[in-house]
Amino acid sequence: MTTTGNPGTVVLSEKTKITIEDPVAVSKIASDLVKRMQRYGVTGDTAKMLLCIGTDRSTGDCLGPLVGSKIDLMQQDFFAVYGTLDQPVHASNLKETLEHINNLYQNPFIIAVDACLGRLESVGCIHLGDGSLLPGAGVNKDLPPVGQIHITGIVNVGGYMEYMILQNTRLNLVMRLADTIVGGLIKAIREFEQQYAGEV
């Protein structure tokens, strides 16, 4: 879990903010992701990772593993998925997971997905941006930065008693955020593969 506006989060370009109430949220996420991947020079041959951070032991912090599980169940070979409800990636194993990815793949392109606490008016929003996430920054954990692109879903209000807030986050909201992110990722895969196929 990270927090919005955290000084440790590296942002190289303007973030995109999309609310789950937007009827075209899925299309906006897909379009934004495809543009960012193209800007980074991602091709069909690039090793593409989806690193979904969080734990199934906390309602608010299970967004990442939910997204990972939903993508993992789909028949796609675009992303290698790390972080599911069955095998979550969290504070205890993040460093070794990153080492494993870097040992297995050459120059992997990583999209990091994580839950986020933020302002009241931003709850239910999804942020996409370039640069790494600092997972755990919102709850004072010292973890390595993750990803060339990050996707965060704002699950609740931050600022105090973060652990308690995460435990008391509505699962319905987390599920809606996860479904919207997954829809955007699947649509982005299709759009990216169509564009790439057209260039071959």
Side-chain angles (χ1 to χ4, degrees):
M1 190 275 303
T2 188
T3 53
T4 56
N6 189 291
T9 300
V10 180
V11 179
L12 303 179
S13 70
E14 188 174 337
K15 282 188 180 182
T16 300
K17 180 179 178 181
I18 301 164
T19 174
I20 55 174
E21 304 299 338
D22 188 336
V24 292
V26 166
S27 294
K28 287 182 178 179
I29 291 170
S31 176
D32 188 271
L33 278 175
V34 169
K35 288 176 183 174
R36 290 180 192 274
M37 286 191 289
Q38 289 174 334
R39 199 160 61 234
Y40 273 92
V42 175
T43 69
D45 296 326
T46 304
K48 296 170 281 291
M49 311 289 113
L50 194 62
L51 183 50
C52 303
I53 301 158
T55 174
D56 60 342
R57 295 177 182 269
S58 169
T59 308
D61 206 21
C62 71
L63 176 65
L66 272 172
V67 170
S69 290
K70 287 172 180 285
I71 293 290
D72 202 38
L73 287 171
M74 297 183 176
Q75 294 184 340
Q76 60 85 34
D77 56 6
F78 190 83
F79 290 116
V81 179
Y82 290 86
T84 63
L85 291 172
D86 187 46
Q87 294 183 308
V89 174
H90 42 63
S92 300
N93 63 3
L94 177 62
K95 289 180 181 178
E96 64 186 62
T97 301
L98 286 172
E99 288 174 4
H100 172 76
I101 290 172
N102 286 313
N103 287 333
L104 201 59
Y105 301 96
Q106 185 173 7
N107 299 319
F109 181 82
I110 300 175
I111 298 178
V113 181
D114 198 5
C116 182
L117 297 177
R119 295 179 180 176
L120 178 61
E121 62 270 20
S122 293
V123 173
C125 289
I126 296 161
H127 286 179
L128 298 93
D130 293 344
S132 302
L133 279 181
L134 275 185
V139 287
N140 299 315
K141 290 188 180 292
D142 183 22
L143 297 173
V146 180
Q148 283 83 13
I149 290 177
H150 59 269
I151 303 172
T152 56
I154 303 178
V155 299
N156 215 325
V157 180
Y160 63 98
M161 298 178 68
E162 272 80 5
Y163 280 112
M164 187 67 70
I165 293 293
L166 285 171
Q167 295 289 350
N168 288 282
T169 295
R170 291 196 64 204
L171 180 59
N172 180 61
L173 174 61
V174 178
M175 291 294 291
R176 290 181 67 195
L177 284 163
D179 286 341
T180 305
I181 292 170
V182 168
L185 285 165
I186 295 301
K187 189 173 175 60
I189 291 171
R190 294 193 190 111
E191 290 183 7
F192 186 91
E193 289 181 334
Q194 286 173 358
Q195 290 186 24
Y196 185 73
E199 294 172 2
V200 175

